[in-house]
Amino acid sequence: MGTATTRAVSLVGLQGHVVEVQAHLAASVPGFTLVGLPDAALSESRDRVRAAVTSTGLQWPVKKITVNLSPASLRKQGSSYDLAIAVAILAGAEGPSSAGLRREGLDRVVHLGELGLDGRLQPVRGVLPAVAAAVDAGYRDVVVAAGDRDEAGLVPGARVVGAASLAEVVALHGGPHELVREVVTVRPTRSALPARLPGDLADVLGQERPRAALEVAAAGGHHLLLVGPPGAGKTMLASRLPGILPDLTDREAVEVTAVHSVAGTFDPGGGLIRRPPFEDPHHTATPAAVVGGGSGIARPGAVSRAHRGILFLDEAPEFGARVLETLRQPLEQGELVIHRSGGAARYPARFQLVLAANPCPCGLAVGKGLECSCSPTVRRRYFARLSGPLLDRVDVQVEVQPVDRVESMEGSSEPTSVVAARVLAAREAARARLADTPWSTNAEMPGRFLRDLLRPHPGLLGPIERAMTDGRLSLRGVDRVLRMAWTIADLAGRAAPTVSDVGNALLLRTGGDHG
């Protein structure tokens, strides 16, 4: 009878749990039993591991093999346990089936990788958060597939070894080196589209007010609604927003990279993701595609992939009501908890929501609306697809009017680099003010903190009180106006907002109100 233990990692959302992989080999009727709540993909590892061991040139133990994945109460899924299972079985084997693996210290090594039938090691999803969880739990030695070595190496404190085959891992732990042969390293298969370079703001002619609204949204991390007729430049403005956002901090880069690693859209060759992501799902997208979902443990959707970046919904009223209403939780809390039969997964989702919408189905209900063919009832019903509770969470709401003057079309506009410098300075001012808090942007400041900051400036609330009396502003809207006022002050280099800043913020909040 032989036993051996090594480690793997189970991911539930972005949270990793170190799993003890125990192999027990007994002199009984030959068989292979895998216990510890494995899913279908993990249960199939019995066939993959057996084929990989024999293809490597090692003898499969003719014994009763029981592999336990502990803790047994934690549901396990995926193929990343293959390598750990194979190593535990080979280390526990005795007699002719023994591969000579050292058992000492094997329980301090984490193995992550899927085995091919020919013994090659295949990359798996979620290596970055898995290795980070292992290091946090005190397991610094990690063996991964060669294709995942660069990604695993991004985790500080990890001692990473990349192997192309099971034979290399066996040799690493004291087994025969003569089994190692040159194999073609399998690189991760990524589903991400090539990165799109944002256009320059200099391409946007005219549109002074929407450009100012875009700058305020970028500087404070505020949500943005752009309403206007087709061809006015709503999509062009939204696509320029990533270019004026500052780079992610180290902590934010790790968070974003971990999400994209689990989603399978991360290319480790470029290192950590340093630029804010930009997600723009089509209006036919399902709630599972936008929010996340799937069988077993839910996978991250566009909302989580846009973490610390931008989620752009073009033609927002055309999205399904279920999709739009599911955005309310992440807009308030900055994270998503998705419950499925396999358990609950928690994903970060602190993004900037940018909505673009036509004012009516024909899109011509601007100004006096003389060219619009829609009835008033149709107009109200169309824009009412964006519910009041959702719009109340959008800070900046602005109309994008068509450019109808030749002078505006022939003028010049500030380029992205100039605007980005102002946005960066405003972000740094906000970060300095919020240095002793868990928040980093003005959009994250809670109402109580805002009111404490404004106690020395009681005269600022006059315009807001009048807007509340007129019914143009809710209590939630008051906090959002105050946040924007701080952002406008940061852009102007002021230490605190003025009455003028509050008035401008109120205009950005209510000027695009479509009721």
Side-chain angles (χ1 to χ4, degrees):
M1 181 179 69
T3 60
T5 301
T6 187
R7 308 285 170 172
V9 177
S10 173
L11 282 178
V12 181
L14 290 186
Q15 186 177 7
H17 305 270
V18 176
V19 173
E20 187 177 54
V21 182
Q22 306 163 323
H24 178 270
L25 289 78
S28 182
V29 178
F32 190 169
T33 303
L34 183 63
V35 297
L37 287 183
D39 70 345
L42 180 50
S43 297
E44 293 170 352
S45 67
R46 293 174 294 189
D47 300 315
R48 290 193 298 269
V49 169
R50 183 186 291 108
V53 168
T54 56
S55 297
T56 301
L58 297 170
Q59 184 175 347
W60 182 255
V62 187
K63 294 187 177 181
K64 171 61 176 177
I65 302 173
T66 303
V67 175
N68 179 45
L69 308 176
S70 179
S73 60
L74 178 67
R75 187 174 295 275
K76 324 297 188 308
Q77 67 169 358
S79 57
S80 62
Y81 300 87
D82 288 3
L83 180 59
I85 293 172
V87 168
I89 291 174
L90 292 175
E94 298 174 340
S97 301
S98 174
L101 272 70
R102 297 185 299 269
R103 299 183 189 180
E104 297 78 13
L106 199 62
D107 60 339
R108 301 297 303 171
V109 181
V110 174
H111 295 84
L112 299 171
E114 175 186 328
L115 285 173
L117 300 183
D118 56 357
R120 288 185 300 172
L121 270 180
Q122 312 279 7
V124 294
R125 289 183 176 185
V127 166
L128 179 67
V131 174
V135 172
D136 290 342
Y139 299 93
R140 299 180 60 190
D141 296 306
V142 183
V143 180
V144 300
D148 282 333
R149 180 171 46 203
D150 293 341
E151 181 176 343
L154 296 174
V155 179
R159 295 189 289 258
V160 180
V161 175
S165 65
L166 177 60
E168 290 186 19
V169 180
V170 169
L172 174 69
H173 294 305
H177 288 262
E178 58 269 17
L179 298 177
V180 179
R181 59 184 182 274
E182 185 176 354
V183 299
V184 177
T185 300
V186 179
R187 294 296 176 187
T189 300
R190 305 299 178 187
S191 60
L193 296 174
R196 294 170 297 181
L197 296 177
D200 199 291
L201 266 176
D203 299 334
V204 182
L205 302 179
Q207 305 294 7
E208 288 80 6
R209 188 181 173 204
R211 284 172 58 97
L214 196 74
E215 185 174 339
V216 170
H222 305 290
H223 307 306
L224 174 65
L225 169 65
L226 300 170
V227 182
K234 303 184 298 294
T235 304
M236 176 180 284
L237 282 163
S239 64
R240 268 63 178 171
L241 182 55
I244 62 177
L245 292 177
D247 290 340
L248 302 175
T249 64
D250 291 342
R251 181 178 61 84
E252 293 170 344
V254 171
E255 292 176 359
V256 172
T257 304
V259 172
H260 285 260
S261 175
V262 172
T265 57
F266 170 56
D267 182 6
L272 292 174
I273 299 176
R274 293 289 181 179
R275 292 297 303 157
F278 182 82
E279 293 286 332
D280 56 343
H282 192 260
H283 62 78
T284 57
T286 64
V290 175
V291 180
S295 60
I297 301 296
R299 294 288 183 182
V303 163
S304 294
R305 295 196 303 272
H307 178 59
R308 300 295 180 185
I310 299 157
L311 178 67
F312 176 45
L313 303 186
D314 201 4
E315 305 295 341
E318 301 295 337
F319 280 80
R322 289 183 58 202
V323 173
L324 294 174
E325 293 308 307
T326 53
L327 298 178
R328 288 159 60 175
Q329 179 194 10
L331 286 176
E332 285 293 331
Q333 301 178 5
E335 66 176 7
L336 271 170
V337 182
I338 307 173
H339 294 269
R340 292 293 183 271
S341 60
R346 186 182 300 271
Y347 292 109
R350 190 166 296 283
F351 56 88
Q352 274 186 265
L353 177 64
V354 179
L355 304 173
N358 292 330
C360 65
C362 75
L364 301 179
V366 293
K368 296 182 179 180
L370 299 179
E371 299 180 4
C372 177
S373 59
C374 305
S375 67
T377 302
V378 170
R379 297 180 193 177
R380 288 193 299 271
R381 185 180 300 143
Y382 179 78
F383 210 82
R385 296 178 184 177
L386 301 178
S387 68
L390 176 63
L391 290 180
D392 202 32
R393 289 168 168 83
V394 179
D395 305 355
V396 186
Q397 304 182 20
V398 64
E399 289 187 352
V400 183
Q401 298 288 349
V403 178
D404 55 1
R405 298 184 59 188
V406 176
E407 293 83 358
S408 299
M409 298 175 63
E410 294 178 349
S412 59
S413 301
E414 284 185 319
T416 291
S417 58
V418 174
V419 179
R422 289 200 299 267
V423 169
L424 177 59
R427 285 277 184 120
E428 290 177 346
R431 189 172 286 115
R433 182 171 59 252
L434 302 172
D436 298 328
T437 72
W439 315 295
S440 58
T441 62
N442 291 331
E444 300 175 50
M445 293 191 295
R448 181 176 180 180
F449 184 78
L450 278 168
R451 289 185 285 275
D452 289 341
L453 284 179
L454 290 173
R455 289 189 192 281
H457 313 280
L460 295 177
L461 302 181
I464 294 178
E465 292 175 353
R466 288 191 293 271
M468 290 186 67
T469 302
D470 296 341
R472 292 182 294 136
L473 205 60
S474 67
L475 191 58
R476 179 191 287 123
V478 170
D479 290 343
R480 297 189 178 276
V481 168
L482 293 177
R483 291 167 186 157
M484 284 191 290
W486 275 103
T487 300
I488 294 171
D490 289 337
L491 284 168
R494 287 188 283 271
T498 64
V499 175
S500 176
D501 295 333
V502 174
N504 287 331
L506 187 60
L507 182 63
L508 289 175
R509 171 73 180 180
T510 61
D513 184 11
H514 282 255

